[in-house]
Amino acid sequence: MAKWSAVSILGCAQFVMVLDSTVMNVSISQVVSDLDTTVAAMQATITFYTLTMAAVMLLGAKLGDVWGRRRAFIVGSIVYGIGSLLTGLSPNIVLLFIGWAVIEGLGAVLVIPAIAALVADNYTGRDRVTAFAAIGAISGGAVAAGPLIGGLITTYASWRYVFIGETVVMIGVLLLTRFVADRSKPARIRIDVWSVLLSAVGLILIVFGMLQSKTWGWILPIVPADDGGFPITPLGLSLVPYLIAAGAAVVWLFFKRQVYLTRTGRVPLLQVSLFKIAQLRSGLSVLGAQYAVTAGLFFMVPIYLQMTLGLDALSTGIRIFPLSVALILFSIVGTILSRRWSPRRIVRIGQVILVLSSLVLLAAVSTDLRSIAFGTGMFFAGTGLGLLASQLGNVNMSSVSERESSEVGGLQGVFQNLGSSLGTALIGSVLIASLGTAFLSGVNSSDLPDSAKTAVSEATQSGVDIVPASSVPSIAKDAGLSSSDGTTLEEVYSEAQIGALRVSFFVLTVIAGLALFLTRDIPTTVTVVQKTRERPRRA
């Protein structure tokens, strides 16, 4: 067991990093109540946490080369632990924002790349495959267990104990870090400030644009400005495409800057020649698609369970539990299969299972929850994600030398955040748009009197909010409608939610299916781990 101590320690840190981004989803209402704040403020905090990591992930990876990977891991763990403690003790939304979105985010950008690099540094051959599979299983388990842990602790104690518990875990990790070897030597390099600024600004614009798409609309504004929508609509379009285009332009300038630095003999923030490695390009692309599907799934399922079926936080976590079990189990199975099957074969099987599971979940969506079909769909979704998790970390890290492992670890973090942002934004905008269309269509075809239809139409001009279906009658009463009209509206709204969720699951299925085309350059050989090698630098 001694040889697995390093991955165990790094896995604990990985679990905390991933758990932190999922556990809050089922605790938002309690946090809003405890801190006397608003859901909008919490959404901004969650959004900024993602932005912080996306903005400075490449810098965090480079600091791992400058300081040494273990030292960067230690510093990041300390920063992260301080942020978690501040978050758990925060008396208001301002300190929660500083502790979680800023301090924890800055700690994470040092820890996440260092984990990938240290795993590659501590293991070789078959052990490296197993170690990366373990990290993948831990990540997926944290994603799936987050709602369960958050629901359990929030229901029976307080959400604050989650973050205080994270601090305790990080203290334990720090005490055991001496068992993690680091053969790398700190590099004497000067970090280019312009590269840091360009990468941060470009990624912030792209991620922020994606996240705001569900509020502002992808191309056309969801709601006209004069009806309460976002007031800035250049040429009648949503601001989102402008933000994403501007971000892409800044990222292009960042790449040009890296080429210039390499040509003039200076050290770039990122070796852009890494993207010429077909295996790495394919691995990162599939990784981004995997996180897009995962984020979309974990955005939709809690909405379905809580807003449509009325389940509480703990019950929601329990319904997600089959995915967690399958993900961990099939991460192990994927590692065993890698002795006989190539990574591409395992990845493609995982992707096909993911597509089929999305179809099963689509069929299970109903107002009475077809629990057997739903549980089966969640289990097979975990199966597909587990098989992917068992391969992608090693596919990416084995495509480069140990000297470049920190940079690739940072790139993995960037693609994870971009994938998660895209999945949440795309599925969120599809869900909201479909809900509005289905609800208004249902109202117009219902037996409601014309006066009620007119009142509903006027009240929903600024869009239809996602609320528990059971709350619709009281909302209708406040709007001056009768109790019978309120009951009818509840039925219409519930059916609209089901229709919107089905459309969203279909889109998720399409994303999972299209990801199959990204696997072309995943290795086809059974011996997936390459010996450490030095790859010639390209100018």
Side-chain angles (χ1 to χ4, degrees):
M1 287 298 292
K3 74 174 181 178
W4 299 117
S5 58
V7 75
S8 300
I9 296 164
L10 296 172
C12 288
Q14 182 76 9
F15 186 86
V16 170
M17 299 293 112
V18 179
L19 177 76
D20 201 60
S21 62
T22 61
V23 73
M24 188 63 83
N25 290 340
V26 297
S27 308
I28 289 178
S29 60
Q30 189 61 50
V31 177
V32 168
S33 175
D34 287 352
L35 300 185
D36 191 25
T37 184
T38 64
V39 173
M42 281 302 303
Q43 288 175 331
T45 303
I46 294 171
T47 299
F48 203 89
Y49 179 67
T50 305
L51 289 174
T52 300
M53 289 194 291
V56 289
M57 187 67 72
L58 292 178
L59 174 61
K62 184 59 69 175
L63 288 175
D65 292 333
V66 176
W67 296 344
R69 291 151 189 174
R70 186 167 61 182
R71 181 178 296 178
F73 179 81
I74 291 172
V75 173
S77 297
I78 292 172
V79 173
Y80 193 91
I82 292 172
S84 295
L85 182 61
L86 180 59
T87 302
L89 300 177
S90 56
N92 53 54
I93 187 63
V94 174
L95 286 180
L96 180 88
F97 181 91
I98 294 172
W100 189 31
V102 179
I103 298 179
E104 283 192 43
L106 292 175
V109 301
L110 289 171
V111 173
I112 291 174
I115 289 174
L118 287 169
V119 168
D121 203 34
N122 278 263
Y123 300 97
T124 58
R126 183 63 55 190
D127 288 344
R128 183 184 288 182
V129 178
T130 303
F132 275 116
I135 293 296
I138 289 168
S139 298
V143 169
L148 180 62
I149 294 173
L152 182 65
I153 295 178
T154 300
T155 300
Y156 293 107
S158 170
W159 57 272
R160 296 179 184 276
Y161 289 110
V162 176
F163 294 96
I164 293 173
E166 288 181 356
T167 303
V168 174
V169 172
M170 295 312 294
I171 290 174
V173 166
L174 285 168
L175 293 175
L176 297 172
T177 305
R178 61 192 179 90
F179 294 106
V180 179
D182 181 11
R183 294 194 297 270
S184 66
K185 295 182 179 179
R188 293 191 175 187
I189 57 177
R190 180 180 178 182
I191 297 177
D192 182 61
V193 176
W194 280 109
S195 296
V196 174
L197 292 175
L198 287 171
S199 66
V201 172
L203 292 173
I204 283 176
L205 289 172
I206 292 173
V207 173
F208 186 69
M210 289 179 177
L211 291 170
Q212 288 300 113
S213 64
K214 60 181 177 292
T215 304
W216 297 345
W218 280 98
I219 303 297
L220 296 175
I222 291 179
V223 182
D226 54 5
D227 285 333
F230 192 70
I232 304 176
T233 55
L235 301 177
L237 301 178
S238 165
L239 196 60
V240 167
Y242 294 101
L243 287 174
I244 294 177
V250 175
V251 169
W252 178 79
L253 290 175
F254 165 76
F255 274 89
K256 298 295 288 185
R257 176 73 178 175
Q258 304 317 293
V259 172
Y260 168 76
L261 291 174
T262 303
R263 188 172 62 247
T264 56
R266 298 166 62 183
V267 178
L269 186 64
L270 173 68
Q271 288 285 345
V272 295
S273 58
L274 291 174
F275 288 103
K276 295 181 180 180
I277 304 174
Q279 177 178 324
L280 180 61
R281 283 201 314 270
S282 191
L284 290 174
S285 299
V286 175
L287 181 71
Q290 175 200 351
Y291 271 80
V293 172
T294 303
L297 189 64
F298 278 89
F299 180 79
M300 286 188 296
V301 170
I303 286 178
Y304 169 48
L305 296 175
Q306 294 183 4
M307 298 301 187
T308 303
L309 304 180
L311 301 183
D312 59 21
L314 179 57
S315 298
T316 298
I318 291 173
R319 296 301 177 103
I320 294 173
F321 191 65
L323 187 150
S324 177
V325 172
L327 199 154
I328 295 173
L329 175 63
F330 280 89
S331 292
I332 299 172
V333 170
T335 304
I336 296 173
L337 289 175
S338 66
R339 299 171 184 171
R340 297 186 177 183
W341 292 356
S342 70
R344 185 194 294 181
R345 185 177 184 182
I346 297 173
V347 166
R348 285 183 172 176
I349 290 174
Q351 289 175 318
V352 170
I353 293 175
L354 199 55
V355 171
L356 295 176
S357 69
S358 299
L359 292 174
V360 173
L361 288 170
L362 191 156
V365 172
S366 64
T367 54
D368 58 351
L369 182 60
R370 299 161 190 165
S371 55
I372 295 178
F374 182 80
T376 301
M378 291 297 287
F379 183 84
F380 281 107
T383 299
L385 293 172
L387 292 175
L388 292 173
S390 72
Q391 303 299 310
L392 295 180
N394 187 63
V395 166
N396 291 328
M397 299 304 296
S398 65
S399 66
V400 298
S401 68
E402 289 184 5
R403 184 178 61 185
E404 296 157 322
S405 58
S406 286
E407 285 183 270
V408 174
L411 281 174
Q412 287 194 136
V414 170
F415 274 77
Q416 288 169 4
N417 280 289
L418 288 176
S420 296
S421 300
L422 177 60
T424 302
L426 180 59
I427 296 301
S429 60
V430 168
L431 184 65
I432 292 172
S434 301
L435 177 61
T437 301
F439 181 61
L440 292 178
S441 176
V443 167
N444 290 330
S445 61
S446 69
D447 295 330
L448 288 169
D450 291 340
S451 58
K453 292 180 180 179
T454 302
V456 172
S457 179
E458 292 177 351
T460 57
Q461 281 184 351
S462 297
V464 177
D465 293 330
I466 300 176
V467 298
S470 58
S471 68
V472 172
S474 61
I475 295 173
K477 183 178 180 181
D478 293 339
L481 301 181
S482 66
S483 58
S484 61
D485 289 343
T487 301
T488 301
L489 274 179
E490 180 183 5
E491 295 174 356
V492 171
Y493 184 77
S494 181
E495 289 297 328
Q497 280 186 322
I498 294 299
L501 283 162
R502 284 174 178 157
V503 172
S504 300
F505 268 116
F506 177 76
V507 172
L508 195 69
T509 304
V510 172
I511 295 174
L514 291 176
L516 280 165
F517 295 98
L518 302 175
T519 60
R520 177 180 178 181
D521 294 310
I522 298 290
T524 58
T525 55
V526 175
T527 308
V528 296
V529 180
Q530 302 173 14
K531 296 295 183 181
T532 300
R533 57 187 175 85
E534 290 296 329
R535 191 174 55 81
R537 300 269 180 173
R538 291 186 176 92

